[in-house]
């Protein structure tokens, strides 16, 4: 059983990515599961090439530093030739209408001039990511489920038309993880691509930066520390504390008589949660040769796992 998950380098990895996904991948991932940095997905809109390249390397280091086995990690663009070939095969299997009805394409292209073709075809590239590695399950959020359904449709259509090559994947909602909201705007999720990073704690933030951001976190005008959805700023801090220390947010609230004491506790818990990941990531980024060796080995393993499927698909469709 192979599970496949990816993270796009649209910004620096933040606390929500770590608590909600990466930490779980490291703790619960099976020996055949695969995790990749989806840097090609970061090209569907205007981007800075050198920044994208730097963020991809950083994210690879973070995944390994978090405890994911190096042999289960790779960078998507290192398989650009294989993915490019399979994406073309799948585009020749997909209709324009199927691509154009993707909800994310409709939303992101609405009212925009000069929309890139890649924004339309990126779900086919995502299907290639999945099918190339023979993934059985793809943990995705609800807004990505439609893309996995497209991968299922294309796998079945290819298999039925040309011959059995691809595993038909299932979209699965991952176990409920920590839902981390922006510290400055607690009604929206913390995001690595946020325009204003004042409310975003990044995995590589230094301890003093973490303390400063959490001390400035928005709460409300009350004074009683309690866990309530009607007080999103306070609830966010308690959710973060619970994710880092364990226990229920409501029980933890009873430990504090002031907002200041709660913020100090949250800051220290976050710093200690992120410390080993930050320190190990820095070590990897400083040792360029070691990280490059890990990256090359991961790419070679991913390409080797995929080669027979790509060869079979090309042969059956008449291209090999």
């Amino acid at each position: 059983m192979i599970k496949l998950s990816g993270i796009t380098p649209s910004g620096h990895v933040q606390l929500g990515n770590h608590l909600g996904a990466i930490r779980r991948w490291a703790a619960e991932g099976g020996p055949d599961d695969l995790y990749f940095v989806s840097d090609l997905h970061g090209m569907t809109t205007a981007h800075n090439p050198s920044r994208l390249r730097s963020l991809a390397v950083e994210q690879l280091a973070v995944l390994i530093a978090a405890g994911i086995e190096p042999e289960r990690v790779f960078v998507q663009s290192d398989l650009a030739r294989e993915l490019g070939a399979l994406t073309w095969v799948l585009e020749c299997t997909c209709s324009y209408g199927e691509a154009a009805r993707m909800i994310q394409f409709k939303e992101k292209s609405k009212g925009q001039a000069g929309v890139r073709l890649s924004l339309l075809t990126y779900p086919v590239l995502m299907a290639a990511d999945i099918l190339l590695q023979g993934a059985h399950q793809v943990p995705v959020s609800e807004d990505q489920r439609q893309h996995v359904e497209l991968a299922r449709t294309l796998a079945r259509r290819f298999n039925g038309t040309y011959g059995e090559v691809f595993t038909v994947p299932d979209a699965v909602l991952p176990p409920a993880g920590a839902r981390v909201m922006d510290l400055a705007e607690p009604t929206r999720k913390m995001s690595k691509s946020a325009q204003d990073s004042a409310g975003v704690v990044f995995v590589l933030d230094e301890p003093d930066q973490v303390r400063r951001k959490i001390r400035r976190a928005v709460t409300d005008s009350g004074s009683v520390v309690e866990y309530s959805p009607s007080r999103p700023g306070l609830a966010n801090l308690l959710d973060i504390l619970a994710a880092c220390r364990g226990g229920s947010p409501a029980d933890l609230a009873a430990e504090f008589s002031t907002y200041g004491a709660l913020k100090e506790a949250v800051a220290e818990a976050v710093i200690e949660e992120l410390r080993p990941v930050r320190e190990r990531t820095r070590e990897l980024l400083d040792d360029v040769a070691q990280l490059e060796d890990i990256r090359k080995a991961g790419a070679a393993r991913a390409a080797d796992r995929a080669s027979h499927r790509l060869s079979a698909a090309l042969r059956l469709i008449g291209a090999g």
Side-chain angles (χ1 to χ4, degrees):
M1 176 71 72
I2 299 172
K3 290 182 182 178
L4 179 75
S5 295
I7 181 169
T8 301
S10 55
H12 299 290
V13 182
Q14 43 87 8
L15 180 63
N17 301 137
H18 171 74
L19 295 177
I22 296 173
R23 184 175 68 169
R24 187 180 67 250
W25 295 348
E28 301 174 5
D32 296 322
D33 294 349
L34 299 170
Y35 305 97
F36 69 102
V37 178
S38 52
D39 53 341
L40 297 179
H41 292 180
M43 300 179 185
T44 59
T45 56
H47 67 281
N48 181 303
S50 60
R51 183 172 187 268
L52 178 66
R53 186 177 296 110
S54 175
L55 288 171
V57 172
E58 181 182 298
Q59 286 196 356
L60 176 67
V62 168
L63 294 181
I64 297 165
I68 299 174
E69 295 295 330
E71 59 266 22
R72 293 193 275 137
V73 178
F74 64 95
V75 177
Q76 183 188 31
S77 62
D78 292 340
L79 272 68
R81 290 178 176 83
E82 292 85 352
L83 285 169
L86 184 55
T87 297
W88 178 250
V89 167
L90 296 178
E91 286 180 353
C92 294
T93 311
C94 182
S95 73
Y96 170 79
E98 287 171 323
R101 74 169 64 105
M102 295 290 109
I103 294 171
Q104 287 205 5
F105 171 72
K106 289 181 178 180
E107 291 179 349
K108 292 182 179 180
S109 63
K110 191 180 301 180
Q112 290 191 33
V115 175
R116 295 184 178 184
L117 180 61
S118 55
L119 192 61
L120 173 67
T121 60
Y122 130 77
V124 184
L125 172 60
M126 183 175 171
D129 290 324
I130 297 165
L131 302 183
L132 190 65
Q133 298 298 331
H136 300 88
Q137 293 186 342
V138 186
V140 288
S141 56
E142 191 61 44
D143 64 346
Q144 290 285 336
R145 181 186 289 272
Q146 191 184 32
H147 292 170
V148 181
E149 287 301 320
L150 179 63
R152 288 172 54 83
T153 297
L154 298 182
R156 285 195 297 258
R157 184 176 299 152
F158 186 98
N159 290 346
T161 304
Y162 303 107
E164 290 286 332
V165 173
F166 299 118
T167 300
V168 180
D170 289 318
V172 295
L173 291 176
R179 183 175 172 82
V180 180
M181 312 303 284
D182 191 289
L183 296 172
E185 184 57 60
T187 57
R188 70 183 182 203
K189 286 181 67 175
M190 191 175 287
S191 170
K192 60 181 180 290
S193 57
Q195 294 298 311
D196 182 359
S197 63
V200 181
V201 173
F202 297 105
V203 168
L204 298 187
D205 278 349
E206 294 294 333
D208 285 347
Q209 292 175 287
V210 175
R211 288 191 187 93
R212 184 164 58 251
K213 289 177 180 179
I214 292 177
R215 285 171 180 167
R216 294 175 178 173
V218 169
T219 50
D220 56 42
S221 58
S223 59
V224 177
V225 179
E226 61 179 353
Y227 186 72
S228 170
S230 65
R231 303 173 72 181
L234 197 57
N236 187 39
L237 291 173
L238 289 164
D239 282 333
I240 292 171
L241 184 61
C244 292
R245 274 182 28 181
S248 76
D251 290 342
L252 289 170
E255 297 180 15
F256 303 97
S257 58
T258 67
Y259 290 175
L262 171 62
K263 288 181 176 181
E264 289 302 317
V266 173
E268 292 308 313
V270 170
I271 289 167
E272 290 309 309
E273 172 68 30
L274 296 181
R275 187 187 304 279
V277 180
R278 177 174 58 83
E279 291 177 353
R280 178 58 177 148
T281 300
R282 294 294 187 197
E283 291 174 2
L284 287 166
L285 293 174
D286 288 341
D287 191 341
V288 176
Q290 180 190 11
L291 190 57
E292 185 63 22
D293 286 345
I294 291 172
R295 177 170 177 169
K296 287 180 179 177
R301 279 188 289 267
D304 183 64
R305 284 190 294 258
S307 61
H308 69 284
R309 291 187 195 87
L310 178 58
S311 296
L314 289 170
R315 185 181 72 255
L316 288 172
I317 206 170

